[in-house]
Amino acid sequence: MITAIEKQIVSLLQDGDKKAISLLYENYADSLYGVIQKIITDEDTAQDVLQETFVKIWRYAKKYDSSKAKLFTWLYRIAYNTAIDKVRSQKNKTGNEVQIETSAVYKITSTELNQDVMDIKKHLKSLDEKYQIVIDALFFEGMTQQEASDELNIPLGTIKSRLKIGLRELKKIYNP
């Protein structure tokens, strides 16, 4: 059963009315913060994730479909996924620290560089556009697969498939 406040919020969201965010915050912020805190224990980070959640809610407001999910379920998924993405990005940052003292990056000479792969953007254009878009988003714009899925409005599984096929096609170009 949809409450009157939910109907009002959904209507305002669909109309792009900024009052929707105030109503959402008043009615759902505590619950969403609770969802986020189950995943992220650091209070400052959890607050940041809550803010990111509301930004995403606003950005994707027109995509909400009440026939597919209740408002809270939709909000819950956005909060949960944003928190999980934050945890993953923090793990990636701490897990991939660069050891400059032992790095050989600064010792590479131009003769050691593989000149065949320096033109990857040119070869990328030879792929079907659907693969180009996904590879560009993931590798050149730095998006996660979930972010690319959200931004491009393509299901996550399709993103993964197109990435795999696109990389396989690029491999054929570089390793015939």
Side-chain angles (χ1 to χ4, degrees):
M1 171 106 181
I2 297 176
T3 64
I5 192 73
E6 282 181 67
K7 284 182 184 176
Q8 184 182 8
I9 290 171
V10 170
S11 175
L12 292 170
L13 277 174
Q14 308 252 303
D15 292 341
D17 191 327
K18 293 181 180 177
K19 291 177 194 168
I21 290 295
S22 297
L23 286 172
L24 278 169
Y25 197 85
E26 288 172 24
N27 290 282
Y28 296 100
D30 290 339
S31 299
L32 296 176
Y33 188 66
V35 169
I36 293 164
Q37 279 194 308
K38 288 187 189 299
I39 299 164
I40 297 174
T41 54
D42 177 64
E43 197 169 318
D44 290 336
T45 305
Q47 287 287 341
D48 289 345
V49 170
L50 181 63
Q51 184 176 356
E52 287 175 43
T53 298
F54 276 95
V55 169
K56 286 182 179 181
I57 289 168
W58 180 250
R59 188 182 313 149
Y60 301 119
K62 297 214 187 275
K63 293 182 182 180
Y64 172 68
D65 183 354
S66 59
S67 67
K68 292 184 179 178
K70 290 183 178 182
L71 180 62
F72 182 74
T73 304
W74 183 70
L75 298 171
Y76 172 91
R77 282 190 206 137
I78 292 172
Y80 180 83
N81 289 336
T82 304
I84 294 295
D85 288 346
K86 178 62 85 175
V87 168
R88 287 180 181 152
S89 73
Q90 287 176 337
K91 282 183 182 176
N92 286 341
K93 286 178 186 170
T94 57
N96 296 329
E97 293 179 11
V98 177
Q99 301 295 323
I100 293 177
E101 313 81 57
T102 59
S103 176
V105 170
Y106 302 107
K107 299 174 187 161
I108 296 176
T109 64
S110 61
T111 57
E112 293 176 41
L113 292 174
N114 184 347
Q115 298 296 321
D116 293 334
V117 296
M118 297 300 284
D119 56 356
I120 193 157
K121 285 256 192 188
K122 181 183 97 181
H123 289 303
L124 187 59
K125 290 184 189 314
S126 70
L127 299 181
D128 192 351
E129 187 177 6
K130 61 186 179 185
Y131 305 124
Q132 286 180 41
I133 292 169
V134 170
I135 291 173
D136 187 58
L138 297 174
F139 291 99
F140 298 108
E141 294 181 32
M143 292 183 193
T144 64
Q145 290 179 350
Q146 184 63 54
E147 289 169 340
S149 173
D150 294 341
E151 190 70 26
L152 300 171
N153 199 20
I154 299 172
L156 183 59
T158 305
I159 292 286
K160 292 178 179 189
S161 298
R162 288 181 182 175
L163 172 63
K164 185 177 178 181
I165 294 167
L167 291 176
R168 184 174 40 210
E169 294 302 310
L170 280 176
K171 186 176 179 184
K172 289 178 188 175
I173 293 169
Y174 289 109
N175 296 325

